[in-house]
Amino acid sequence: MRVAYICADPGVPVFGTKGSSVHVQEIVRAWRRAGADVTVYCTRAGTDRPADLAGLPVVEIRPQSASGAGREHAIREAAVALALAVIRDGCDVAYERYSLFSPALAMVTFAGALRIPSVLEVNAPLIEEQRQYRELHDAGLAERMLRTNAAAAGVLACVSEPVVQWVEARVPGARTVLAPNGVNTERITPRRPVRLHADHLTVAFVGTLKPWHGVGYLLQAVAQANIRSDGPAWRAKIIGDGPCRQELEWTAEQLGVDAEFTGAVAPDSVPGLLHECDAAAAPYPAPEPGRDDYFSPLKVYEYLAAGLPVIASRVGQIPSILQHERTGLLVKPADPGAIAAALGRLGADAALRDRLGTRARAAAVGLYSWDSVLATIRQALATERSVA
């Protein structure tokens, strides 16, 4: 089976350090473990290629340099060129990561006399994201590309129920399937359940340092926990980089929190960094009024796979991933005091840390592998084709 994996979003380097890059790589690995020959067609290859993907064929076509609406149309033209490359090379399945301005999946799906099986993977309501956090100049183009590819796709694999609802509201009758994120439990192995330092414990955060990840709440919580507790002090290990880093470093200094900021790291470095920690946090803020949290957080799955007790905000999809008091501790969002209380519990109770960590690892292995994610998508695709 020849699979063409298409990623026309220049904001997602195939070989990069972002969570989206990890997602691309893991789906490719899952297809390869399923016996497929995969070729990646992308607008940005990136430079952090893992050793196990050294031989992966990659076709890169970069958009022409432009700004404003011109940039959006340049991305579309690059996506068209990617589609033509797929058609030239041939494939048995087309799989595209949804991006705003690409018509590639539709072009490939209907290129020949027979319709090629195709999947559109939707990770976020990108039109709303682009409007809110960046700039969207040609909204009509973005809407048309979504409808065009969604109509062509045999299956639209959506990472969460809010994403399913977003797609179905825009494209009635879309053939959606819920396919939350997963984790590579061979890449991320469990930490040894022993304390590495007698005088302190370490809580990890993994992710891009942007406001909606709530890292500031975590730093405030560490400061409060250290004031309240007579036990070992907590320190923070912030794994990742982003526009809020300087502000967060200043916050840590002002609060007197011992915090290590690693900067951006290659995905292969994440397991070792997590193994140096005693707990991990996903301190998301409360959702904005009228908006569902649509994300399926990779970091939480990675924490589980590392066998770490997890403290996470009770928002979005997280309560469906973490079992409170079994694989983690769920807390009120945007509440440093609640996070501090959870840190206090973990700091005072080694047995609790070990119990949560052991069950977290078991959940990652048994429920959240990337192979099972792809199996869900492939089953939906096979069902759709048999009905058609």
Side-chain angles (χ1 to χ4, degrees):
M1 183 193 309
R2 298 170 300 163
V3 174
Y5 185 107
I6 305 165
C7 181
D9 188 341
V12 180
V14 172
F15 304 119
T17 61
K18 301 166 69 172
S20 54
S21 303
V22 172
H23 195 288
V24 171
Q25 293 171 28
E26 293 298 356
I27 289 293
V28 167
R29 289 186 177 103
W31 273 113
R32 295 175 87 182
R33 285 192 295 270
D37 292 326
V38 182
T39 300
V40 171
Y41 299 82
C42 63
T43 56
R44 185 178 172 192
T47 58
D48 298 295
R49 185 187 284 244
D52 68 312
L53 297 178
L56 176 68
V58 176
V59 176
E60 181 186 40
I61 300 176
R62 288 180 171 269
Q64 293 184 354
S65 179
S67 60
R71 180 177 183 275
E72 296 173 356
H73 288 265
I75 293 171
R76 181 188 181 281
E77 292 308 309
V80 168
L82 290 174
L84 294 175
V86 175
I87 294 167
R88 175 199 67 208
D89 297 341
C91 69
D92 302 305
V93 176
Y95 188 109
E96 181 166 13
R97 181 185 175 96
Y98 165 55
S99 58
L100 282 168
F101 309 112
S102 169
L105 193 76
M107 291 178 62
V108 173
T109 300
F110 295 119
L114 297 177
R115 178 180 167 190
I116 294 174
S118 59
V119 177
L120 184 65
E121 175 194 283
V122 187
N123 295 281
L126 292 184
I127 295 172
E128 274 65 40
E129 276 196 351
Q130 192 75 6
R131 283 196 180 109
Q132 182 172 358
Y133 300 115
R134 292 174 284 274
E135 291 181 320
L136 181 59
H137 298 274
D138 193 339
L141 174 63
E143 295 279 4
R144 288 195 304 275
M145 293 304 94
L146 172 61
R147 290 194 297 269
T148 297
N149 276 346
V155 166
L156 285 89
C158 303
V159 298
S160 68
E161 284 289 356
V163 172
V164 169
Q165 294 164 14
W166 181 81
V167 169
E168 292 179 347
R170 276 182 153 72
V171 189
R175 297 168 290 274
T176 57
V177 62
L178 178 62
N181 287 330
V183 66
N184 185 333
T185 56
E186 294 181 2
R187 180 176 72 87
I188 299 186
T189 56
R191 64 178 292 276
R192 294 179 58 203
V194 295
R195 279 184 56 179
L196 298 179
H197 303 282
D199 61 337
H200 69 264
L201 297 166
T202 303
V203 58
F205 169 86
V206 177
T208 305
L209 304 185
K210 293 183 176 179
W212 55 84
H213 284 159
V215 180
Y217 298 125
L218 176 61
L219 296 176
Q220 294 175 48
V222 171
Q224 293 181 26
N226 288 341
I227 292 172
R228 296 176 185 177
S229 174
D230 295 328
W234 282 95
R235 67 188 300 273
K237 187 185 292 289
I238 311 300
I239 304 167
D241 210 342
C244 293
R245 177 172 175 176
Q246 186 173 2
E247 176 186 349
L248 291 168
E249 289 178 333
W250 181 87
T251 298
E253 182 179 355
Q254 294 300 303
L255 292 170
V257 171
D258 184 1
E260 175 189 358
F261 289 79
T262 68
V265 300
D268 286 350
S269 299
V270 170
L273 293 169
L274 290 178
H275 289 174
E276 298 170 359
C277 301
D278 303 279
Y284 290 102
E288 298 175 5
R291 183 179 71 85
D292 289 325
D293 280 313
Y294 53 79
F295 52 84
S296 179
L298 282 171
K299 64 171 62 63
V300 173
Y301 296 103
E302 293 183 338
Y303 298 161
L304 293 174
L308 287 167
V310 182
I311 302 170
S313 300
R314 194 187 294 271
V315 297
Q317 312 305 301
I318 290 177
S320 68
I321 303 168
L322 286 182
Q323 289 182 277
H324 183 56
E325 300 282 354
R326 181 171 178 82
T327 57
L329 299 176
L330 295 172
V331 298
K332 182 180 177 181
D335 189 341
I339 302 172
L343 288 171
R345 287 187 61 192
L346 293 177
D349 192 341
L352 176 63
R353 295 198 304 271
D354 292 347
R355 184 167 64 251
L356 292 177
T358 298
R359 290 172 176 170
R361 173 66 186 182
V365 173
L367 300 174
Y368 301 127
S369 74
W370 284 111
D371 291 336
S372 65
V373 172
L374 181 61
T376 297
I377 296 170
R378 294 183 66 192
Q379 179 59 46
L381 186 61
T383 300
E384 186 277 335
R385 287 188 63 78
S386 66
V387 170

